[in-house]
């Protein structure tokens, strides 16, 4: 979390033609608004606040570079809303921990059939390696899917809508 969570601040290393797409959970597709960076103008053509735990698709139009996020780690409970009933949600971990997707989704009440999808940059599509939760087994069928800090994922909520409260404390 930063004092300025606008994309103009968070993605200040953008290059000409870079684009940001937001997931619209209401229409279950990318939102119609595309944010594009112009080197000529030296700015993004729009701005919005990216909430902790919210993810976006970032189209890198140029060479490789590193984007470093700076801010405060949210201490204690932090809430995101999850739309269930077979709807996709796009999240990133609100806590700066990596490893298995189970770390990124900590605090969620998993439902039978919930799934985690990640983006595969090599094929420029969703990865075929998907994790599915089973209430019968009480676990995920795949815990090898990694979600590093700063990387988003699609979460298919198979159960009902829920308030996702993530409680994190730095020790």
């Amino acid at each position: 979390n930063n004092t300025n969570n606008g994309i103009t601040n968070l993605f200040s290393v953008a290059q000409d033609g870079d684009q940001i797409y937001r997931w619209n959970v209401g229409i279950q597709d990318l939102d119609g608004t595309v944010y594009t960076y112009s080197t000529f103008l030296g700015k993004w053509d729009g701005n919005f606040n990216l909430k902790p735990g919210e993810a976006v698709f970032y189209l890198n139009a140029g060479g490789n570079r590193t984007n470093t996020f700076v801010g405060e780690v949210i201490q204690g409970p932090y809430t995101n809303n999850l739309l269930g009933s077979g709807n996709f949600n796009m999240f990133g971990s609100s806590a700066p921990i990596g490893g298995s997707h189970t770390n990124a989704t900590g605090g969620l009440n998993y439902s039978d059939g919930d799934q985690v999808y990640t983006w595969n940059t090599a094929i420029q599509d969703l990865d075929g390696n998907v994790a599915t939760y089973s209430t019968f087994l009480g676990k995920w069928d795949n815990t090898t899917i990694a979600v590093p800090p700063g990387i988003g994922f699609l979460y298919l909520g198979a159960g009902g809508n829920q308030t996702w409260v993530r409680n994190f404390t730095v020790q």
Side-chain angles (χ1 to χ4, degrees):
N1 194 26
N2 197 319
T3 55
N4 179 356
N5 286 334
I7 62 168
T8 57
N9 182 48
L10 296 177
F11 299 104
S12 60
V13 297
Q15 295 179 5
D16 197 49
D18 284 4
Q19 294 180 324
I20 294 177
Y21 299 81
R22 289 178 93 174
W23 182 254
N24 184 323
V25 71
I27 62 172
Q28 289 295 287
D29 202 351
L30 295 175
D31 194 78
T33 304
V34 178
Y35 300 86
T36 305
Y37 187 82
S38 167
T39 302
F40 177 74
L41 297 175
K43 65 180 185 173
W44 289 93
D45 64 359
N47 192 26
F48 66 90
N49 283 332
L50 185 64
K51 299 178 292 189
E54 180 183 6
V56 295
F57 280 104
Y58 191 100
L59 174 67
N60 177 3
N64 292 338
R65 59 190 167 278
T66 300
N67 192 68
T68 302
F69 296 100
V70 178
E72 299 285 327
V73 174
I74 297 173
Q75 301 288 309
Y78 183 77
T79 302
N80 276 308
N81 293 313
L82 179 122
L83 187 61
S85 305
N87 286 293
F88 282 98
N89 302 265
M90 197 164 169
F91 294 117
S93 179
S94 59
I97 54 175
S100 171
H101 66 87
T102 58
N103 291 339
T105 59
L108 262 172
N109 296 314
Y110 307 128
S111 296
D112 193 52
D114 283 5
Q115 294 182 317
V116 173
Y117 296 79
T118 55
W119 187 256
N120 184 322
T121 57
I123 63 172
Q124 288 298 292
D125 201 351
L126 291 174
D127 197 300
N129 192 12
V130 176
T132 304
Y133 188 78
S134 167
T135 53
F136 176 74
L137 298 175
K139 65 179 184 176
W140 291 92
D141 67 351
N142 181 347
T143 57
T144 63
I145 297 173
V147 178
I151 301 297
F153 57 93
L154 283 167
Y155 192 92
L156 176 68
N161 299 347
Q162 67 171 294
T163 301
W164 174 16
V165 180
R166 175 68 186 256
N167 200 347
F168 185 77
T169 304
V170 176
Q171 307 222 359

